[in-house]
Amino acid sequence: LLLLTGCSILPFPLKEIEEQPETPITPTIANQDYHFNYYYSLLDNEGKSIYNALYESIANFEDTIKVPGSDYETFLQAQMAFNYDHPEYYWVTDIEYITSFDKVTKVTYTQPFSQEEYEECSAIASDILAGIDAYSSTYDKLLYIYEYIINTTDYDVNSKYNQDIRSVLMNQASVCAGYSRTFQYLCDKLEIPCIYVTGTGKEGEGHSWNEVCIDDSWYWVDVTWGDPVYDREKYLGNVINYNYFCVNDSNFLDSHTINTGFDLSNYSCKDIYEYPECYDNSYNYYVLEGCYFEYYDRAEIDAYIGYLIENGYIRNIELKFSNEEAYNEAYDDLFDKGSRDGYIFDIIRNHTGNIHTMRYELRYSDSMYYICTDIYIT
């Protein structure tokens, strides 16, 4: 009996080979440590069976895997789901697969990897997380790893391994995929539900970020755009940007467009993913810091800045507004439309008394309705 079979390395077309059909295996659900398998939950039963087969073998560092025979689309959906759920298995990208009767039956992973390198990444992650107080809240843990990644990683399009966790953990240089995959990886180790999400940024560029769960509510996190090295906002200066940390849909989706499927060079799959809504704003960084304002009110801003000055907090005085109207009104009044001779000087004088010399540095973002002022007084 002559069988028509095929073999290919994604995303290239099939190449004919000969192989006898094999009885598909039926894997049981793999036992594993805590892991938030979001994309697994979106698969049908056939896809979950393939996903489980992949996990059982890859977790044992096998590079050739028998899978339940499935059509190409079902296999790819399971393969992509596994990739998106498991940043720790960073080598599971380039693959060679074998088909029999148009069914994918065997997979070989062709990207070189070593168990020692895998274990090194795990050890580095453990060292990083050792700095978290055992009594920290979920929010504080997320803030810790957000700031750690930003403070130790340079945005570099030429960085080695920049599509996976090795770039951040081992080389301290990466791009958005490395930032967000590492954030997901550390969340898994902290047992915090986290989803890796792909899409495009405001300029239409390919991008990736995360969605996290705190107290049964979901929030968006973009670690890459939080890094001042990325330099999307030229007026923000060299400070961590928290405008994309634990925010809701209204503060995020105007600048991020989500992919609801995936695109390979020879195959596209649309509208197979949906994501939890992020409607809550309780864990917005600026809300928790007390500097988030729904509208501009002189007395309210005066009281807030006065409290900071009187308590010695005169660096990074941040004001975050919920809408463009409030932001423009605050910017025009506090800084006299950018001339640096506005009402903020009256606030400072009222709360500092005798001043010999005073200067301030202003950072702002029109698109994020954000103003930050550093005051220097002698």
Side-chain angles (χ1 to χ4, degrees):
L1 178 65
L2 179 64
L3 302 179
L4 294 179
T5 60
C7 173
S8 178
I9 299 177
L10 286 177
F12 302 108
L14 291 171
K15 173 175 73 176
E16 289 189 1
I17 66 170
E18 294 184 3
E19 176 171 285
Q20 297 298 318
E22 299 185 37
T23 304
I25 60 173
T26 305
T28 58
I29 294 177
N31 293 321
Q32 56 179 314
D33 295 332
Y34 173 86
H35 203 285
F36 187 67
N37 301 307
Y38 181 74
Y39 289 95
Y40 175 85
S41 70
L42 302 180
L43 297 171
D44 60 20
N45 288 338
E46 185 179 4
K48 288 177 179 177
S49 183
I50 298 167
Y51 183 114
N52 286 328
L54 296 176
Y55 179 82
E56 289 180 341
S57 296
I58 293 167
N60 290 313
F61 303 99
E62 299 173 12
D63 57 11
T64 299
I65 304 166
K66 295 179 182 178
V67 296
S70 68
D71 61 78
Y72 185 58
E73 180 175 337
T74 302
F75 168 76
L76 276 186
Q77 289 185 18
Q79 165 72 26
M80 295 300 293
F82 185 88
N83 284 352
Y84 285 175
D85 280 341
H86 291 275
E88 70 273 30
Y89 301 122
Y90 46 81
W91 62 90
V92 185
T93 52
D94 298 331
I95 69 172
E96 186 176 271
Y97 62 93
I98 295 172
T99 62
S100 178
F101 289 113
D102 294 325
K103 300 289 186 181
V104 179
T105 58
K106 186 180 292 185
V107 182
T108 299
Y109 292 96
T110 59
Q111 184 181 144
F113 71 93
S114 70
Q115 187 172 347
E116 290 75 17
E117 200 171 51
Y118 167 89
E119 291 171 351
E120 181 180 353
C121 285
S122 181
I124 293 171
S126 295
D127 288 342
I128 293 168
L129 300 180
I132 297 178
D133 189 315
Y135 298 99
S136 294
S137 66
T138 299
Y139 172 86
D140 288 334
K141 291 175 181 177
L142 290 169
L143 182 62
Y144 176 92
I145 61 176
Y146 179 84
E147 292 178 337
Y148 180 89
I149 292 172
I150 291 171
N151 285 328
T152 60
T153 309
D154 289 330
Y155 186 87
D156 183 359
V157 295
N158 297 313
S159 59
K160 189 177 182 180
Y161 307 133
N162 63 23
Q163 297 299 299
D164 65 63
I165 62 175
R166 291 173 296 176
S167 58
V168 172
L169 298 178
M170 298 172 62
N171 299 332
Q172 292 78 53
S174 193
V175 296
C176 60
Y179 278 74
S180 51
R181 298 295 268 164
T182 304
F183 186 81
Q184 179 192 21
Y185 179 56
L186 295 175
C187 283
D188 282 338
K189 286 188 170 291
L190 292 170
E191 300 190 3
I192 299 173
C194 179
I195 306 170
Y196 172 73
V197 183
T198 67
T200 56
K202 184 173 285 188
E203 307 298 326
E205 73 280 12
H207 192 40
S208 61
W209 57 89
N210 301 99
E211 191 172 10
V212 297
C213 187
I214 308 175
D215 298 336
D216 298 323
S217 293
W218 287 90
Y219 305 88
W220 297 111
V221 175
D222 189 334
V223 189
T224 312
W225 286 13
D227 194 337
V229 176
Y230 184 64
D231 199 28
R232 287 189 68 257
E233 300 287 339
K234 62 182 179 179
Y235 299 115
L236 288 182
N238 191 31
V239 295
I240 291 179
N241 181 356
Y242 296 97
N243 283 281
Y244 300 106
F245 178 71
C246 289
V247 296
N248 60 15
D249 288 343
S250 63
N251 285 308
F252 195 84
L253 295 183
D254 62 338
S255 58
H256 294 70
T257 301
I258 300 170
N259 283 341
T260 57
F262 57 85
D263 290 294
L264 303 175
S265 63
N266 68 335
Y267 192 86
S268 295
C269 197
K270 306 293 186 182
D271 300 325
I272 60 172
Y273 303 144
E274 56 183 31
Y275 297 91
E277 288 186 87
C278 300
Y279 56 85
D280 185 62
N281 211 34
S282 301
Y283 286 99
N284 182 305
Y285 173 84
Y286 299 105
V287 171
L288 292 180
E289 291 293 314
C291 57
Y292 185 89
F293 303 95
E294 297 287 345
Y295 55 90
Y296 175 66
D297 178 82
R298 268 192 171 190
E300 189 175 5
I301 299 298
D302 189 311
Y304 172 70
I305 295 179
Y307 167 81
L308 295 180
I309 292 175
E310 289 164 11
N311 286 277
Y313 304 122
I314 59 175
R315 298 290 184 271
N316 296 334
I317 295 179
E318 297 176 297
L319 305 174
K320 171 77 173 178
F321 296 91
S322 64
N323 59 77
E324 184 177 13
E325 181 181 359
Y327 165 80
N328 287 335
E329 190 175 349
Y331 181 75
D332 290 349
D333 188 41
L334 292 173
F335 303 100
D336 193 22
K337 300 182 180 181
S339 69
R340 300 196 170 202
D341 187 25
Y343 181 63
I344 194 168
F345 285 103
D346 294 329
I347 295 176
I348 294 169
R349 293 188 187 99
N350 289 339
H351 294 282
T352 55
N354 294 327
I355 299 174
H356 297 287
T357 304
M358 178 181 68
R359 66 184 179 88
Y360 73 89
E361 294 181 1
L362 174 65
R363 297 188 294 275
Y364 61 93
S365 169
D366 293 335
S367 63
M368 294 183 288
Y369 316 140
Y370 169 82
I371 300 171
C372 181
T373 311
D374 290 337
I375 303 172
Y376 303 89
I377 298 173
T378 59

